[in-house]
């Protein structure tokens, strides 16, 4: 089975610009999560989709971040306008709709805002 | 709020030794799930082991085992006969009843030849 894929793998943008990250979960995985890891710090929860619905978006830092999952398939995370503190690695993960299902992670998108 | 704490930022052990990584968590829920994930250098994060809170028996996966102490809210990972390929960042994770997963800060483990 194909794994979770994320695009792009790296992105370098200037402060004030817009960036859109994409995540394609494993087919059939209703749960989709976005996480962010800033250098040397914990993996911070951003939000959780169940199919196309936002189950929990309590981790979204502010309204510059917008996540969508149209049709319950792939998801996008848009940062507009980007700030320096948005730099980090953005991970996407998906899992089957069972509470003990393990997460399957993508390779992450390394975002650098200069 | 639910939290996960890993008190060891970094550890080093010799190959073939046994190492234990600690993890504590805080929750008011009675039923939940706990995981250990590892992220090797420049590679994808993968599941190491999982534990259901309602199960008293500690989970085991080959050389990996956990010591789950529910009353103490402790979930340590033991790696026996450590191998060079075990070098990675290890994250302890907690999943609540709403399938929200929270990670600790991670422990960087170095296996030395």
């Amino acid at each position: 089975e194909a794994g979770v894929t994320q695009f792009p793998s790296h992105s370098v943008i200037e402060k004030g610009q817009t960036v859109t990250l994409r995540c394609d979960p494993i087919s059939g995985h209703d749960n989709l999560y976005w996480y962010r890891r800033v250098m040397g710090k914990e993996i911070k929860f951003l939000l959780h989709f169940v199919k196309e619905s936002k189950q929990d978006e309590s981790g979204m830092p502010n309204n510059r971040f917008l996540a969508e999952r149209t049709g319950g398939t792939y998801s996008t995370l848009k940062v507009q306008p980007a700030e320096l503190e948005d730099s980090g690695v953005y991970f996407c993960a998906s899992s089957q709709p069972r509470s003990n299902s393990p997460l399957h992670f993508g390779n992450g998108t390394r975002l650098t805002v200069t | 709020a639910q939290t996960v704490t890993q008190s060891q930022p970094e550890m080093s052990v010799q190959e073939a030794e046994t190492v234990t990584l600690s993890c504590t968590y805080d929750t008011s829920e009675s039923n939940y799930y706990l995981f250990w994930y590892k992220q090797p250098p420049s590679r994808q994060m993968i599941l190491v082991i999982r534990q259901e809170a309602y199960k008293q028996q500690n989970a085991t996966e080959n050389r990996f085992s956990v010591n789950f102490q529910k009353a103490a809210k402790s979930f340590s990972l033991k790696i026996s006969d450590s191998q060079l390929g075990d070098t990675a960042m290890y994250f302890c994770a907690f999943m609540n009843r709403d399938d929200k997963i929270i990670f600790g800060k991670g422990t960087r483990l170095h296996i030395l030849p």
Side-chain angles (χ1 to χ4, degrees):
Chain A
E1 98 189 325
V4 177
T5 57
Q6 291 187 247
F7 182 83
S9 56
H10 293 85
S11 180
V12 180
I13 61 172
E14 293 183 352
K15 176 182 172 180
Q17 290 186 321
T18 297
V19 63
T20 300
L21 314 181
R22 173 170 169 145
C23 169
D24 286 73
I26 292 173
S27 177
H29 282 195
D30 288 348
N31 289 317
L32 186 149
Y33 303 81
W34 282 99
Y35 290 88
R36 175 174 71 179
R37 185 162 190 240
V38 177
M39 183 69 72
K41 297 188 178 179
E42 74 263 39
I43 299 174
K44 187 174 183 295
F45 170 84
L46 296 178
L47 88 159
H48 170 207
F49 283 101
V50 177
K51 296 184 179 179
E52 67 275 10
S53 300
K54 292 177 184 175
Q55 173 80 6
D56 184 340
E57 55 182 329
S58 60
M60 295 288 265
N62 50 60
N63 59 9
R64 295 186 293 103
F65 287 73
L66 175 65
E68 294 179 325
R69 191 182 182 194
T70 306
T73 55
Y74 71 91
S75 174
T76 58
L77 179 64
K78 182 161 73 174
V79 185
Q80 179 183 29
E83 297 289 343
L84 298 178
E85 64 264 24
D86 300 333
S87 295
V89 180
Y90 290 77
F91 290 101
C92 174
S94 70
S95 69
Q96 292 179 330
R98 295 193 306 272
S99 287
N100 66 343
S101 296
L103 293 180
H104 295 260
F105 281 83
N107 286 328
T109 293
R110 182 175 296 279
L111 175 64
T112 303
V113 182
T114 62
Chain B
Q2 291 143 349
T3 58
V4 177
T5 302
Q6 292 179 249
S7 58
Q8 304 148 313
E10 195 159 2
M11 298 180 72
S12 296
V13 296
Q14 296 293 136
E15 192 177 6
E17 287 185 348
T18 294
V19 60
T20 299
L21 280 58
S22 65
C23 172
T24 58
Y25 56 94
D26 189 24
T27 182
S28 58
E29 296 182 7
S30 59
N31 198 18
Y32 47 86
Y33 300 88
L34 296 161
F35 305 85
W36 278 97
Y37 285 87
K38 70 181 273 190
Q39 186 178 28
S42 303
R43 292 181 62 185
Q44 207 168 36
M45 188 126 75
I46 57 174
L47 177 70
V48 175
I49 198 165
R50 78 181 99 172
Q51 173 84 41
E52 290 90 344
Y54 62 84
K55 288 187 178 179
Q56 293 186 336
Q57 187 173 7
N58 289 324
T60 299
E61 288 286 343
N62 300 314
R63 297 182 296 107
F64 298 87
S65 61
V66 298
N67 183 4
F68 174 48
Q69 302 289 327
K70 190 172 184 179
K73 295 180 182 174
S74 171
F75 183 61
S76 61
L77 174 70
K78 184 171 84 171
I79 307 174
S80 303
D81 185 26
S82 57
Q83 300 175 358
L84 297 178
D86 295 333
T87 292
M89 196 78 183
Y90 287 80
F91 294 95
C92 178
F94 168 95
M95 175 188 272
N96 70 6
R97 60 188 173 200
D98 296 322
D99 287 355
K100 179 178 180 178
I101 300 173
I102 300 165
F103 289 85
K105 290 188 177 183
T107 296
R108 187 175 300 279
L109 177 64
H110 303 273
I111 307 299
L112 306 173

